[in-house]
């Protein structure tokens, strides 16, 4: 992805994050993702029905990279089956960790293609993915 | 000033995180290397010449610390691993034996974790209660608010002399005078004050003081606990073992050495302690009054320029120390720090280990610039130039 376009996508999702709202609904599984080395602190709520991700919302305080990464992740995950979602998340991890990955799966999230060059920001991009992967894997193994 | 003494400044960096740790001058580094290369024996084992030299150097630092903080006796100085270790020793070695259920511990919501968490635990264990001194509109501690917070149950007031976020200089001497009239102990966290201003524990009459070497040009892993001599006798060692015992035959028969050695179990951080002595000599050469004055001027220079930037919100405009906390409107503190890092400017972003402050400041996070005497107006100019342009920050922070 072109660097300038990538930067614009990140900024857009930071300034106008999607699905940033509080949720009070017991059907949602709640996850707190914190980065121990910095101050990011995100609450994510996910609704899974019939092995499909119906909705995700998030709240919290986080840097531009974490916030936009969360917003983009949610946009990409809603509507996916749990299996597809896990595949998407694994591809994102591979991209950030400089391993082989499938570009087609990630679409907009490719704006974080170069994040590996800034070691101290990798954990920001990955922050929302950590908790959610665990929830999805647990759902799969049930 | 004195920038040529600091090897770290040969790099192309602007170091503005002195509240976290300070840079080290060549003489402090050389003093430790000298120990490791030329007389690297253990302390308190003076059976041979080089070990005797270790004792002399180690104890010489104790004399230097005593004079530096204006203590009466060298026995009032205990070497620890840092402020955190010192505060834990004060709380667990002294107050654990004194506090009873219902007793009140007075702190503020601006304190660093190390002046909060040990008290939280001891409160849980003894049934003592934590009370918070209310802060004024500038987040300062005033004598009036201290007076209003004291009850017949107050046993101890524990305060940073300068807090690490707001950077206000607390009226410790006045607070102590009033507290002592009510038989209340005063503990001072000196981590942010001892490196930056003249301290005199005899004049201020405080009961306990904790500070770290690494924030005052010294090595990491070394700190000091000061206690008045008569109180020192009542501090139970938290650690038992080598170096601090006279003899031991059975659980009933353990004879401990006198203070301060009794409170320094195990081989101490010898190189670190000796390095601290050298740091004190260096600071004395410049003069603490000069350092204080220089930093105050530099702070004013910085603040004057910073207030003129419309998108900057300064959290501690009225403070007097070299600590300036601020936010850039609409931008997360950490993103600003990342942006400045691209220009080799080192600042801290976050909650600065003072997690109760959010209740008071209404913001969880901020950017903190903390100055020392080797910082310059031209470094401030560079920083201001980068902060002025919000579009540039937005563009380059990611």
């Amino acid at each position: 992805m072109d660097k300038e376009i990538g930067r614009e996508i990140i900024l857009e999702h930071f300034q106008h994050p999607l699905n940033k709202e509080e949720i009070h609904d017991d059907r949602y599984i709640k996850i707190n993702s914190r980065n121990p080395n910095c101050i990011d602190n995100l609450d994510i709520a996910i609704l899974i029905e019939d092995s499909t991700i119906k909705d995700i919302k998030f709240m919290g305080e986080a840097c531009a990279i974490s916030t936009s990464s969360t917003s983009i992740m949610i946009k990409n995950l809603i509507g996916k089956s749990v299996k597809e979602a896990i595949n998407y998340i694994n591809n994102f991890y591979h991209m950030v960790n400089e391993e082989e990955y499938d570009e087609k799966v990630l679409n907009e999230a490719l704006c974080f293609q170069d994040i590996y060059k800034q070691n101290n920001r990798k954990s920001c991009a990955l922050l929302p993915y950590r908790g959610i992967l665990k929830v999805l894997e647990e759902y799969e193994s049930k | 000033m004195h920038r040529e003494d600091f090897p770290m400044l040969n790099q192309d960096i602007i170091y503005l995180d002195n509240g976290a740790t300070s840079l080290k001058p060549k003489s402090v580094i050389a003093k430790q290397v000298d120990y490791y290369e030329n007389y690297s024996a253990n302390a308190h084992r003076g059976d041979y010449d080089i070990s005797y030299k270790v004792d002399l150097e180690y104890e010489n630092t104790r004399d230097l610390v005593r004079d530096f903080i204006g203590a009466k006796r060298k026995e009032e100085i205990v070497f620890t691993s840092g402020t955190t270790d010192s505060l834990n020793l004060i709380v667990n070695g002294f107050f654990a034996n004194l506090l009873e259920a219902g007793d009140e511990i007075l702190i503020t919501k601006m304190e660093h974790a190390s002046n909060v968490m040990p008290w939280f635990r001891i409160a849980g264990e003894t049934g003592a209660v934590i009370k918070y001194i209310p802060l004024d509109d500038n987040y300062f501690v005033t004598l009036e608010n201290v007076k209003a917070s004291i009850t017949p149950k107050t046993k101890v007031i524990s305060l940073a002399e300068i807090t690490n976020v707001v950077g206000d200089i607390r009226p410790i001497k006045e607070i102590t005078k009033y507290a002592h009239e009510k038989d209340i102990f005063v503990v001072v966290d000196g981590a942010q004050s001892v490196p930056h201003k003249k301290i005199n524990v005899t004049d201020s009459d405080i009961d306990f003081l904790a500070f770290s070497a690494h924030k005052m040009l010294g090595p990491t892993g070394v700190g000091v606990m000061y206690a008045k001599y008569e109180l020192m006798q009542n501090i139970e060692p938290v650690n038992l073992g080598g170096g601090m015992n006279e003899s031991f035959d059975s659980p009933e028969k353990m004879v401990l050495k006198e203070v301060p050695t009794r409170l320094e179990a195990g081989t101490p951080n010898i190189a670190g302690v000796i390095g601290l002595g050298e740091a004190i000599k260096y600071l004395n050469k410049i003069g603490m009054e000069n350092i204080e004055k220089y930093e105050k001027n530099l702070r004013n220079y910085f603040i004057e320029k910073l207030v003129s930037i419309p998108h900057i919100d300064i959290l501690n405009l009225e403070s007097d120390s070299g600590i300036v906390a601020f936010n850039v409107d609409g931008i997360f503190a950490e993103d600003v720090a990342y942006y400045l890092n691209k220009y080799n400017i080192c600042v801290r972003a976050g909650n600065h280990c003072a997690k109760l402050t959010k209740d008071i400041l209404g913001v969880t996070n901020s950017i903190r610039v903390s100055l020392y005497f080797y910082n310059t107006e031209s470094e401030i100019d560079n920083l201001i130039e980068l902060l002025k342009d919000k579009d540039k920050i937005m563009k380059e922070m990611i």
Side-chain angles (χ1 to χ4, degrees):
Chain A
M1 182 182 280
D2 176 71
K3 261 189 188 165
E4 229 11 79
I5 294 172
R7 189 196 304 280
E8 273 168 31
I9 293 174
I10 293 173
L11 261 188
E12 175 58 26
H13 278 272
F14 167 58
Q15 291 178 302
H16 310 286
L18 305 172
N19 293 295
K20 191 173 182 192
E21 58 179 85
E22 203 135 11
I23 212 87
H24 299 285
D25 185 336
D26 290 343
R27 295 176 303 153
Y28 284 73
I29 303 167
K30 312 241 172 2
I31 310 151
N32 179 259
S33 278
R34 242 170 222 275
N35 194 340
N37 297 323
C38 69
I39 46 199
D40 297 337
N41 189 359
L42 295 172
D43 288 311
I44 300 174
I46 177 167
L47 177 65
I48 310 172
E49 279 173 352
D50 304 328
S51 293
T52 303
I53 297 173
K54 297 282 185 195
D55 191 25
I56 309 176
K57 297 277 185 264
F58 83 106
M59 282 302 285
E61 262 195 296
C63 68
I65 300 289
S66 289
T67 304
S68 59
S69 183
T70 307
S71 178
I72 292 167
M73 176 194 80
I74 293 174
K75 189 181 168 191
N76 280 332
L77 287 185
I78 291 176
K80 279 198 167 58
S81 72
V82 170
K83 215 184 180 102
E84 288 167 341
I86 291 173
N87 181 47
Y88 164 83
I89 293 173
N90 283 333
N91 270 294
F92 189 82
Y93 265 96
H94 289 160
M95 177 180 78
V96 173
N97 291 323
E98 290 178 85
E99 293 158 18
E100 262 187 51
Y101 65 97
D102 185 354
E103 284 199 10
K104 291 193 293 297
V105 178
L106 293 176
N107 58 59
E108 219 177 353
L110 288 171
C111 61
F112 296 108
Q113 220 165 18
D114 286 337
I115 204 81
Y116 69 89
K117 290 177 185 162
Q118 301 177 61
N119 240 323
N120 49 2
R121 302 222 82 170
K122 274 162 70 171
S123 59
C124 307
L126 288 173
L127 182 68
Y129 286 84
R130 283 199 214 130
I132 225 153
L133 182 61
K134 207 169 146 235
V135 167
L136 295 175
E137 282 173 343
E138 273 169 19
Y139 188 93
E140 267 280 279
S141 66
K142 265 186 209 163
Chain B
M1 49 186 179
H2 304 282
R3 291 175 63 84
E4 63 287 358
D5 295 338
F6 293 83
M8 278 290 293
L9 293 174
N10 295 334
Q11 297 178 35
D12 180 26
I13 58 162
I14 295 182
Y15 186 77
L16 299 170
D17 194 17
N18 295 287
T21 196
S22 66
L23 304 179
K24 323 299 174 200
K26 276 181 224 154
S27 62
V28 169
I29 299 164
K31 187 77 182 179
Q32 293 177 86
V33 172
D34 180 40
Y35 162 73
Y36 282 123
E37 286 186 347
N38 297 314
Y39 58 104
S40 185
N42 211 325
H44 311 306
R45 313 274 193 282
D47 308 327
Y48 45 94
D49 287 351
I50 56 168
S51 174
Y52 182 64
K53 181 170 165 60
V54 173
D55 275 6
L56 285 185
E57 292 282 354
Y58 187 85
E59 292 304 320
N60 183 42
T61 298
R62 213 185 296 275
D63 289 328
L64 285 162
V65 171
R66 176 200 58 205
D67 296 342
F68 189 69
I69 63 169
K72 286 181 189 149
R73 314 173 54 144
K74 65 183 296 182
E75 292 84 357
E76 295 175 322
I77 310 301
V78 172
F79 294 117
T80 65
S81 74
T83 307
T84 301
D85 192 23
S86 299
L87 287 166
N88 275 276
L89 176 57
I90 293 164
V91 173
N92 300 318
F94 186 82
F95 287 96
N97 309 314
L98 181 110
L99 292 172
E100 291 174 4
D103 285 347
E104 291 175 0
I105 299 159
L106 267 186
I107 61 173
T108 74
K109 289 200 171 179
M110 285 294 158
E111 303 308 309
H112 184 279
S114 300
N115 191 26
V116 175
M117 293 176 72
W119 294 115
F120 275 8
R121 184 166 67 182
I122 215 68
E125 285 171 4
T126 60
V129 182
I130 306 283
K131 296 267 176 168
Y132 300 101
I133 301 165
L135 305 171
D136 74 3
D137 293 345
N138 293 318
Y139 318 115
F140 292 5
V141 171
T142 63
L143 182 59
E144 287 64 40
N145 281 348
V146 173
K147 284 182 181 174
S149 305
I150 287 174
T151 77
K153 291 186 169 174
T154 309
K155 278 283 172 325
V156 53
I157 302 174
S158 190
L159 295 174
E161 181 169 25
I162 296 179
T163 54
N164 72 321
V165 182
V166 169
D168 55 319
I169 303 172
R170 271 91 176 259
I172 293 296
K173 187 178 172 179
E174 293 73 19
I175 291 170
T176 305
K177 187 168 180 288
Y178 187 80
H180 284 171
E181 286 168 16
K182 309 273 176 193
D183 290 327
I184 297 165
F185 292 105
V186 176
V187 177
V188 175
D189 166 3
Q192 300 293 342
S193 60
V194 176
H196 299 278
K197 67 189 280 284
K198 184 89 195 137
I199 301 289
N200 190 306
V201 292
T202 305
D203 178 54
S204 65
D205 201 32
I206 59 172
D207 300 301
F208 300 92
L209 174 69
F211 61 96
S212 299
H214 73 96
K215 294 191 205 287
M216 50 186 281
L217 315 180
T220 52
V222 181
V224 169
M225 186 213 64
Y226 158 85
K228 277 183 182 160
Y229 187 67
E230 57 272 27
L231 301 177
M232 186 71 95
Q233 302 297 333
N234 297 327
I235 301 176
E236 278 290 320
V238 173
N239 297 323
L240 301 179
M244 54 80 75
N245 67 79
E246 291 276 4
S247 66
F248 52 94
D249 298 314
S250 63
E252 295 76 33
K253 277 192 171 171
M254 292 198 292
V255 184
L256 307 184
K257 285 184 180 164
E258 291 299 313
V259 290
T261 313
R262 186 200 299 168
L263 299 171
E264 294 177 359
T267 294
N269 183 348
I270 298 169
V273 167
I274 293 172
L276 167 61
E278 198 62 26
I280 290 175
K281 283 188 205 164
Y282 185 93
L283 290 169
N284 283 337
K285 216 164 56 190
I286 304 176
M288 292 310 290
E289 289 88 352
N290 293 332
I291 290 172
E292 206 180 335
K293 205 163 77 189
Y294 181 88
E295 283 175 22
K296 202 169 168 174
N297 287 337
L298 194 57
R299 180 202 163 85
N300 291 341
Y301 181 82
F302 180 33
I303 291 282
E304 223 167 87
K305 296 190 175 242
L306 202 58
V307 287
S308 68
I309 305 177
H311 53 263
I312 298 268
D313 178 25
I314 303 171
L315 298 179
N316 64 340
L317 195 58
E318 302 300 327
S319 294
D320 256 347
S321 69
I323 292 171
V324 180
F326 61 94
N327 270 307
V328 179
D329 186 29
I331 302 182
F332 200 61
E334 208 152 35
D335 290 322
V336 180
Y338 281 125
Y339 160 75
L340 293 174
N341 177 53
K342 290 184 178 170
Y343 294 89
N344 297 330
I345 297 181
C346 313
V347 300
R348 179 93 188 265
N351 51 44
H352 318 299
C353 296
K355 300 190 183 186
L356 300 175
T357 58
K358 63 178 182 296
D359 296 353
I360 307 279
L361 295 175
V363 296
T364 319
N365 305 311
S366 58
I367 303 144
R368 182 185 70 184
V369 165
S370 47
L371 306 167
Y372 216 172
F373 60 84
Y374 40 68
N375 292 124
T376 64
E377 290 186 356
S378 104
E379 287 179 325
I380 298 293
D381 292 342
N382 271 320
L383 174 64
I384 290 287
E385 224 27 69
L386 288 167
L387 290 174
K388 258 184 192 165
D389 189 344
K390 194 172 163 186
D391 290 340
K392 185 176 159 75
I393 302 176
M394 282 290 227
K395 194 160 175 277
E396 297 183 11
M397 70 184 184
I398 48 176

